[in-house]
Amino acid sequence: MGKKIIIVESPAKARTINNILKNEYQVMSSVGHIRDLPKTRFGVDIDNNYQPEYVTISGKQKIVEQLKRAAKNADMIFLAADPDREGEAICWHLMHYLKEINCHVHRILYFEITPSAIKKSLSSPESLNLAKINAQQARRVLDRIVGYRLSPLLWKKVKRGLSAGRVQSVALKIICDREREIQSFVPIEYWTLTAKLASSSPPDFYAYYYGSQGKKRKLSDEDQTLTVLSEIKDTPFIVQAISSRKVYRNPPPPFITSTLQQEAAKRFRFPAKKTMRIAQALYEGKAMTGSDVHGLITYMRTDSPRVSSEAQESAKLLVSERFGKEYLPAKPPVYKAKKSAQEAHEAIRPTDIDLSPEKAAEFLKGEDLKLYTLIWERFIASQMASAHLSVTTVKIYCGAKQQHEFRASGTEVIFKGFWQLTGNPLKIKNNLSDTEESDGSDNSQILPKLNSSETLKCLGLDSEQKFTKPPSRFSEASLVKELETQGIGRPSTYAAIMTTIRDHNYVHIIDRKFVPTDLGFCITDLLTEYFPNIMSVKFTADLETRLDGIEKENSEWTSIVDQFYRSFSENLRKAEKSVEKIKPKSTIVEGYVCPDCGGEMVIRWGKKGRFLSCASFPDCKGILPFPEAGKNVEKTKHKGFLTSAKCPDCGALLVLKSGRFGRFLACQNFPKCKGKGPKPEGKPCPVDSCDGVLVQKRGKSRRSFYGCSNYPTCRFTFQGVLIPVACKACGFDYMSSSARKLDSTVICPRCNFNEELSSIDENRKSDTEISDIS
């Protein structure tokens, strides 16, 4: 009698399930997808209703044969890949190979890898979900059409190695649009006015200028502020009205994929890719005490905040025991999901509610423990009662006619609720966007007991000039939030999207924020001009909704692909005819000149960020460090350092300069005289008691250098520029300078005596701040 087989997509998951079921089943792994569109050709038959041409993925033939051999003698086969579209597609492709060998092939679904969940799924196997498979096929074919048709256009018109994508390109456009908003932003001046006040009882508190004559007023310049200050100086501050209101802070819902990525980025600075990798490991299983291995969290690719009744009951019991019944809500909370959410999925939560972070610390370490703690605390908090606050607002009048109004706000926590677990931030936001003025009001302060008509003592008045700020650049967390809000792509793809646009040099990361490169702007502008639909946020979101409809309504996927392809192919034909060869424009930085050739400098990018490079690169390789933002910088055209050595051709002095291949000596009269300094060849070795001379040699890297002719007895190497002047301290024949760094210091290679050369640079100071070019 044959054995029952379970096939999963991950070796780690296979080990965990095998540990749960012991020897009852043979658990095998497909190691991801086994069949896909070919890499070397388009693989979609446009004329045959967009039928995809699937092939066995290179390197997976051996795995397919192993699965086939095992299937021949199996009584039953259970396909147990992840419960999402990709998992369903993996099972469908497995079915393609196994259905002719064994007719007893079933699909099982589970959302956590625990003994109860696995055994329950095995007791109620299902059929494959063709609607979900078609939804995945439609996305795959659309991505292939965009990627394999647009990318070659970019290769021809811009440069090879570039890529475009249905969601990736829209994400890049969102980043570029934000950068242009920042570049065109004009800051608006405003002023805040703060009064430090004291009543008959402590503590002291702050009140903020609100307006005059009963109306809200903005202080837009210093003159207005000084006028108000002169009118309220030495006048009484009188409490006119006190109002209090109750505020309820509800706990956040349990994590879904996107919110987990956002919170991990904020708390731990985890990139989305790293967060998903750690979450995948927690889901697939970790070794616990003894030999017990099972998944610690539910499936981490989900857009539904739904929680099972069993998990809610477990959380209710834990909260009641740990904090008390008063910390439970009146009824179990229900969190609303988006229309596109797959309601069959649960939120990301711990599989064992009783496994607290303190207990998990026995076998989880470092980043695994951090993420598990985040998930556990978020889920438990989501099942707790709301925090109750009392927010008090005080209106305070001052001025000779009591015409000016200040306001003070304070917050008091009445009941901590879920803050008992997560901590109390005591921060009520002012609900202002980045581009609006803030009056500086601080709702988190604690006010003293105040009475109406009470006269307050003014301890000080402080005015401050401020400017509205441009929108912030996107971080990984804020970009994920923006993509989700706009309905672009799906959370499970966000990590891959951000990795792709970085790897193709479309963006760089500065201070953990996305900054588009010149290439990124170039690609975005080209695609926006010729493919407005693909680059439209609304069009992409609508297309995403229609793709979701394939799964929910079982609509025909090929009709959606056809509607897209008709307009896309027409735009592609126009672009291939109209677009000329494009070279991404580099930003020229005014006021900076190349230290080597005196030409213009442009902003370029390297592994360590931005730097200034000669616009004539690669003919000239002059570079300068990128100036720090906000500082006045000395802009220099280097002409070198004057030495006392004589030119062998005309007798003028030699100058230490910097060129493409390092530092060198050249005649002061260049270009009239092209005399150069001598090479070290044949010069005496500076090591005491050595009678060798310097000879040219080659190292392992094939680079030339000068070393002593008495090697290996003498291991001296000369790695600088030889200055043919005698040392003033010991009289040795020559001095040396660094070969790579243009430095005013020359050193005697025998006694290390230092001598400073005089600079002949032309320095120009500029009042322009570096922020103008950054």
Side-chain angles (χ1 to χ4, degrees):
M1 183 176 177
K3 210 170 188 179
K4 295 177 182 178
I5 296 176
I6 297 175
I7 303 176
V8 297
E9 75 277 37
S10 158
K13 188 194 290 188
R15 286 192 294 271
T16 303
I17 295 177
N18 189 56
N19 181 272
I20 290 171
L21 299 175
K22 306 304 180 186
N23 296 319
E24 298 176 42
Y25 295 80
Q26 181 182 358
V27 186
M28 304 182 73
S29 169
S30 67
V31 195
H33 281 275
I34 58 172
R35 202 166 68 127
D36 196 8
L37 297 175
K39 281 189 174 182
T40 55
R41 57 185 185 277
F42 186 45
V44 177
D45 192 344
I46 301 293
D47 299 326
N48 188 23
N49 205 22
Y50 304 97
Q51 287 305 303
E53 176 198 339
Y54 292 114
V55 297
T56 304
I57 294 173
S58 177
K60 292 295 182 75
Q61 290 85 353
K62 187 176 179 180
I63 293 173
V64 171
E65 291 304 317
Q66 288 174 351
L67 295 174
K68 283 182 176 181
R69 284 196 299 271
K72 284 181 181 179
N73 302 318
D75 288 341
M76 198 171 291
I77 301 170
F78 297 98
L79 305 178
D82 288 341
D84 58 7
R85 297 184 191 99
E86 289 300 316
E88 205 71 18
I90 289 173
C91 292
W92 184 61
H93 290 306
L94 285 167
M95 180 75 83
H96 169 79
Y97 292 106
L98 303 178
K99 63 184 178 182
E100 295 179 359
I101 298 171
N102 193 317
C103 60
H104 302 291
V105 184
H106 304 279
R107 172 75 161 124
I108 60 171
L109 291 173
Y110 49 90
F111 299 94
E112 57 186 63
I113 306 177
T114 58
S116 59
I118 297 298
K119 290 173 182 177
K120 183 179 178 181
S121 68
L122 288 168
S123 66
S124 54
E126 306 175 10
S127 300
L128 287 173
N129 187 331
L130 289 179
K132 192 177 282 187
I133 293 165
N134 287 336
Q136 191 275 342
Q137 281 199 106
R139 281 181 163 81
R140 188 74 186 92
V141 170
L142 281 173
D143 290 341
R144 176 55 63 103
I145 288 172
V146 174
Y148 270 60
R149 290 290 190 254
L150 268 189
S151 297
L153 175 70
L154 299 180
W155 300 348
K156 292 177 187 176
K157 307 301 183 181
V158 186
K159 70 173 185 177
R160 292 196 64 82
L162 302 180
S163 78
R166 182 176 59 86
V167 178
Q168 160 200 321
S169 298
V170 180
L172 177 61
K173 183 178 186 297
I174 289 173
I175 294 171
C176 290
D177 287 348
R178 174 60 60 85
E179 190 67 21
R180 285 189 167 121
E181 277 185 67
I182 295 169
Q183 291 171 353
S184 62
F185 179 81
V186 179
I188 299 173
E189 179 187 9
Y190 70 99
W191 287 70
T192 60
L193 189 54
T194 307
K196 186 177 183 181
L197 303 173
S199 72
S200 56
S201 58
D204 300 340
F205 64 98
Y206 293 95
Y208 303 89
Y209 183 75
Y210 179 79
S212 59
Q213 308 297 337
K215 294 181 180 179
K216 186 174 177 65
R217 179 187 177 190
K218 299 174 183 177
L219 300 176
S220 56
D221 55 43
E222 187 177 15
D223 290 340
Q224 289 183 7
T225 307
L226 291 175
T227 300
V228 173
L229 280 170
S230 66
E231 291 177 357
I232 66 175
K233 188 177 181 183
D234 299 327
T235 64
F237 283 70
I238 300 174
V239 176
Q240 292 293 327
I242 303 171
S243 62
S244 295
R245 60 190 174 93
K246 282 189 176 181
V247 175
Y248 296 92
R249 296 297 297 273
N250 296 322
F255 284 127
I256 58 176
T257 305
S258 58
T259 53
L260 177 63
Q261 291 173 352
Q262 292 170 49
E263 196 63 23
K266 290 175 186 175
R267 291 274 199 96
F268 313 128
R269 300 189 176 184
F270 286 176
K273 186 177 181 180
K274 183 176 186 177
T275 299
M276 296 308 292
R277 174 176 57 78
I278 298 170
Q280 179 91 30
L282 293 174
Y283 165 70
E284 291 183 343
K286 289 285 183 178
M288 301 172 67
T289 52
S291 59
D292 187 19
V293 178
H294 65 73
L296 301 183
I297 63 171
T298 53
Y299 190 53
M300 67 287 161
R301 292 186 182 92
T302 175
D303 51 8
S304 169
R306 185 183 71 84
V307 177
S308 69
S309 57
E310 295 87 351
Q312 284 192 319
E313 283 299 318
S314 298
K316 181 179 177 181
L317 185 62
L318 184 142
V319 171
S320 180
E321 290 177 352
R322 180 177 283 203
F323 303 107
K325 290 185 178 180
E326 65 272 21
Y327 286 90
L328 290 171
K331 57 182 181 180
V334 177
Y335 294 100
K336 188 177 179 181
K338 297 182 301 176
K339 290 182 180 179
S340 60
Q342 301 180 60
E343 284 297 324
H345 290 190
E346 271 197 74
I348 303 171
R349 61 167 177 83
T351 56
D352 181 0
I353 309 304
D354 292 326
L355 184 63
S356 64
E358 294 78 17
K359 294 178 182 177
E362 295 178 10
F363 56 89
L364 286 181
K365 304 298 178 186
E367 294 167 344
D368 290 348
L369 181 60
K370 280 184 179 181
L371 198 67
Y372 179 78
T373 302
L374 190 68
I375 293 168
W376 188 90
E377 287 187 352
R378 178 68 165 249
F379 173 68
I380 299 300
S382 73
Q383 304 303 305
M384 295 177 70
S386 303
H388 300 180
L389 313 173
S390 176
V391 179
T392 301
T393 302
V394 183
K395 295 181 180 179
I396 303 164
Y397 282 26
C398 59
K401 300 178 182 179
Q402 294 288 289
Q403 74 273 32
H404 293 291
E405 180 182 338
F406 279 69
R407 289 191 179 184
S409 295
T411 303
E412 180 184 358
V413 179
I414 300 171
F415 174 67
K416 286 187 175 181
F418 72 97
W419 280 350
Q420 187 69 30
L421 172 65
T422 63
N424 174 15
L426 248 189
K427 190 86 173 177
I428 310 296
K429 294 182 180 178
N430 291 315
N431 297 321
L432 294 175
S433 71
D434 287 336
T435 56
E436 293 180 302
E437 309 98 284
S438 166
D439 60 5
S441 57
D442 180 11
N443 291 342
S444 64
Q445 67 178 331
I446 298 174
L447 296 177
K449 187 175 180 180
L450 299 170
N451 299 310
S452 184
S453 301
E454 180 180 352
T455 300
L456 305 172
K457 183 179 180 181
C458 181
L459 302 178
L461 289 167
D462 180 50
S463 61
E464 184 179 359
Q465 182 190 35
K466 292 187 176 182
F467 293 90
T468 53
K469 296 179 181 179
S472 298
R473 288 178 173 134
F474 287 108
S475 62
E476 282 212 359
S478 59
L479 182 60
V480 166
K481 185 175 182 179
E482 181 71 13
L483 292 172
E484 185 183 31
T485 302
Q486 299 282 5
I488 305 299
R490 285 294 168 259
S492 58
T493 65
Y494 293 159
I497 290 168
M498 290 184 282
T499 299
T500 301
I501 60 176
R502 278 201 305 265
D503 290 348
H504 283 88
N505 201 36
Y506 296 156
V507 297
H508 284 291
I509 305 295
I510 297 179
D511 295 331
R512 299 193 297 131
K513 302 291 179 67
F514 288 106
V515 182
T517 61
D518 296 321
L519 179 61
F521 277 122
C522 174
I523 297 300
T524 297
D525 293 342
L526 172 63
L527 295 181
T528 301
E529 181 178 355
Y530 290 94
F531 301 91
N533 281 349
I534 285 180
M535 300 299 283
S536 165
V537 170
K538 186 178 184 305
F539 177 85
T540 305
D542 290 344
L543 180 59
E544 205 69 54
T545 302
R546 282 185 284 159
L547 291 171
D548 289 335
I550 298 172
E551 182 175 343
K552 291 186 175 182
E553 302 161 15
N554 202 13
S555 53
E556 181 57 46
W557 70 271
T558 53
S559 63
I560 294 174
V561 174
D562 184 61
Q563 290 173 20
F564 173 86
Y565 184 75
R566 288 180 184 278
S567 61
F568 171 76
S569 58
E570 182 61 30
N571 290 336
L572 185 64
R573 279 192 291 272
K574 290 179 182 178
E576 287 176 336
K577 290 179 181 178
S578 305
V579 179
E580 300 294 331
K581 182 75 175 178
I582 298 172
K583 186 176 181 180
K585 296 179 180 178
S586 296
T587 306
I588 293 176
V589 184
E590 294 184 4
Y592 287 80
V593 292
C594 175
D596 291 357
C597 72
E600 292 179 319
M601 300 294 283
V602 298
I603 299 174
R604 297 193 194 276
W605 296 81
K607 291 181 179 179
K608 296 183 179 179
R610 292 178 288 182
F611 64 96
L612 301 184
S613 168
C614 182
S616 301
F617 178 86
D619 294 330
C620 176
K621 296 185 178 179
I623 61 171
L624 287 173
F626 192 85
E628 293 182 30
K631 291 187 178 180
N632 291 332
V633 178
E634 189 176 272
K635 302 170 184 179
T636 303
K637 179 179 179 180
H638 288 288
K639 287 196 171 182
F641 296 99
L642 198 63
T643 73
S644 57
K646 299 292 181 68
C647 172
D649 293 353
C650 71
L653 296 179
L654 290 175
V655 178
L656 182 63
K657 290 188 173 185
S658 173
R660 286 180 61 186
F661 303 105
R663 313 312 168 196
F664 64 97
L665 284 177
C667 181
Q668 185 182 21
N669 293 331
F670 180 84
K672 292 181 181 178
C673 174
K674 296 186 178 180
K676 296 181 180 180
K679 292 183 178 181
E681 185 88 37
K683 296 293 181 180
C685 174
V687 177
D688 285 336
S689 71
C690 178
D691 58 357
V693 295
L694 300 183
V695 293
Q696 189 172 16
K697 299 185 177 185
R698 287 192 182 274
K700 292 180 180 179
S701 63
R702 307 303 298 160
R703 296 183 69 175
S704 63
F705 67 97
Y706 289 92
C708 182
S709 58
N710 287 338
Y711 178 86
T713 305
C714 177
R715 294 177 177 269
F716 174 79
T717 58
F718 184 85
Q719 296 177 335
V721 178
L722 186 141
I723 314 294
V725 292
C727 173
K728 294 179 181 178
C730 68
F732 187 65
D733 292 9
Y734 57 88
M735 306 282 280
S736 70
S737 175
S738 169
R740 297 188 179 183
K741 182 180 179 183
L742 188 58
D743 198 334
S744 62
T745 303
V746 292
I747 303 171
C748 174
R750 171 166 288 179
C751 71
N752 291 328
F753 171 75
N754 291 351
E755 184 179 347
E756 293 292 321
L757 300 179
S758 58
S759 172
I760 55 172
D761 298 349
E762 288 184 352
N763 297 325
R764 293 183 289 119
K765 291 274 188 178
S766 171
D767 293 331
T768 305
E769 291 210 349
I770 301 310
S771 58
D772 295 339
I773 66 168
S774 60

